[in-house]
Amino acid sequence: MSNSKTSTRLDISFDSGDDTCRAWLYLPTGVTAPPVVILGHGLGGTREMRLDAFAERFARAGIAAVAFTYRHFGDSTGQPRQLLSINRQLADWDAAIAHVKGRRDVDGTRIAVWGSSFGGGHSITVASRRPELTAAVAQCPFTDGLASALALGPVASLKVLPSVAKDYVAMLRGGPPSMIPLAGPPGSLALMNAPDALPGYQALLPKDSTFRNEVAARVAPTITTYRPGRHAHKIAFPILFCISDTDSVTPPEQTERYAKTAPRGEIKHYDAGHFEFYRGEPFEQLVTDQTEFLTRHLASAQVRS
């Protein structure tokens, strides 16, 4: 546990399926039953990769924050390691919400979800399924797997197929997964090989990181068919879309089209690239806008008596 002048960070965990998700809970000092925002990362990311920076700032504004790591990644449990299952990750979000609702040190009636990149897509999906939530934030969100695959290019997309086939064989035989890099240099075999992908991931890693730049290849086809943006129109409460106008991973034009279908959607544009959102001046702009949004909607929600 670590303390600051304005918040306390607790190491917590919650069950998801037969596994355990590890998380941090940031509690604002001197606030009784604060509202809470749940933060989840992008493709293969763990909470150490700058989710703490956002969570700390939200706590400083009087909003409790839970930053968690998905099963199969980081210090959360789950075998095999580095397995990215969209359905399991969505179940992790549900488990995080259930955990928050059961806590006595936060207001479980005022909950927001916050996701970045692939997690931004999850936040849209979760928000569309959970009408009891108060607000949502989708940061440089992955909204359409087909659009992202087309942006990557057909040649790059075809490159992953042998790895996917090998991984399916391994799965059928009960062997260890066949891995593929999450991020790689341009032209390389990786889920993301835009020029800013690999340096973007590396810039988010703390010195003692155990991050593994690989994932079970079987996820590739499921990413292409995952289109969370199609559910934006079902979200009845406020949701903030933070869009990178130079996004190399999630085409901004497609994201904006989906965002405009959300009945209470708010859209903000930024010049920074997909991987620049977490640090420096772009981070300051984003966290300021997001804090204002969350404060405005969580504070105005019905406070538990």
Side-chain angles (χ1 to χ4, degrees):
M1 184 176 76
S2 61
N3 293 290
S4 72
K5 291 181 180 179
T6 56
S7 67
T8 302
R9 190 180 89 181
L10 306 175
D11 292 322
I12 65 169
S13 62
F14 54 87
D15 293 335
S16 184
D18 295 327
D19 295 306
T20 301
C21 290
R22 311 289 182 192
W24 291 320
L25 168 63
Y26 288 79
L27 287 172
T29 302
V31 182
T32 302
V36 59
V37 57
I38 301 169
L39 296 89
H41 219 315
L43 205 66
T46 60
R47 68 188 186 282
E48 296 86 359
M49 298 167 69
R50 295 287 291 173
L51 288 196
D52 50 344
F54 286 91
E56 193 172 82
R57 291 288 286 270
F58 298 149
R60 203 183 296 176
I63 302 168
V66 172
F68 75 95
T69 297
Y70 299 107
R71 284 180 285 175
H72 303 280
F73 293 90
D75 59 352
S76 293
T77 68
Q79 294 292 335
R81 303 307 295 165
Q82 303 302 113
L83 175 67
L84 201 166
S85 161
I86 291 171
N87 287 335
R88 287 188 179 214
Q89 290 197 346
L90 291 171
D92 293 346
W93 279 97
D94 287 336
I97 293 169
H99 175 79
V100 164
K101 286 183 174 181
R103 294 192 68 92
R104 303 188 67 173
D105 48 7
V106 299
D107 185 350
T109 68
R110 293 185 292 159
I111 301 174
V113 291
W114 180 106
S116 189
S117 192
F118 204 65
H122 288 337
S123 71
I124 296 169
T125 301
V126 172
S128 73
R129 295 177 176 179
R130 306 296 297 256
E132 78 276 18
L133 299 178
T134 304
V137 176
Q139 174 174 291
C140 56
F142 174 97
T143 57
D144 192 300
L146 183 58
S148 289
L150 292 172
L152 189 63
V155 174
S157 299
L158 290 171
K159 274 186 179 180
V160 307
L161 293 181
S163 298
V164 172
K166 185 178 178 183
D167 193 31
Y168 276 127
V169 170
M171 182 170 58
L172 291 171
R173 292 179 175 174
S178 176
M179 299 291 182
I180 183 174
L182 287 159
S188 68
L189 174 64
L191 287 183
M192 292 179 288
N193 59 15
D196 57 343
L198 184 57
Y201 266 79
Q202 293 170 336
L204 301 182
L205 300 178
K207 290 181 180 179
D208 57 348
S209 173
T210 56
F211 171 74
R212 290 169 56 182
N213 183 27
E214 61 181 3
V215 68
R218 70 194 69 167
V219 73
T222 68
I223 290 176
T224 304
T225 57
Y226 186 42
R227 307 177 83 178
R230 289 186 161 192
H231 303 296
H233 73 279
K234 302 175 187 175
I235 303 170
F237 50 78
I239 176 170
L240 174 64
F241 295 89
C242 299
I243 300 176
S244 161
D245 287 335
T246 58
D247 203 312
S248 61
V249 177
T250 59
E253 299 84 5
Q254 185 66 60
T255 298
E256 177 152 23
R257 280 194 286 271
Y258 284 130
K260 286 180 175 178
T261 70
R264 299 181 65 186
E266 299 180 26
I267 302 172
K268 286 190 175 291
H269 290 265
Y270 303 87
D271 292 332
H274 186 91
F275 297 97
E276 294 177 315
F277 271 16
Y278 306 91
R279 301 172 61 84
E281 184 57 33
F283 164 75
E284 290 295 333
Q285 293 176 353
L286 283 152
V287 79
T288 298
D289 291 344
Q290 292 166 5
T291 300
E292 186 279 328
F293 171 84
L294 290 170
T295 301
R296 175 160 37 98
H297 293 294
L298 290 172
S300 64
Q302 181 67 40
V303 180
R304 182 175 59 190
S305 58

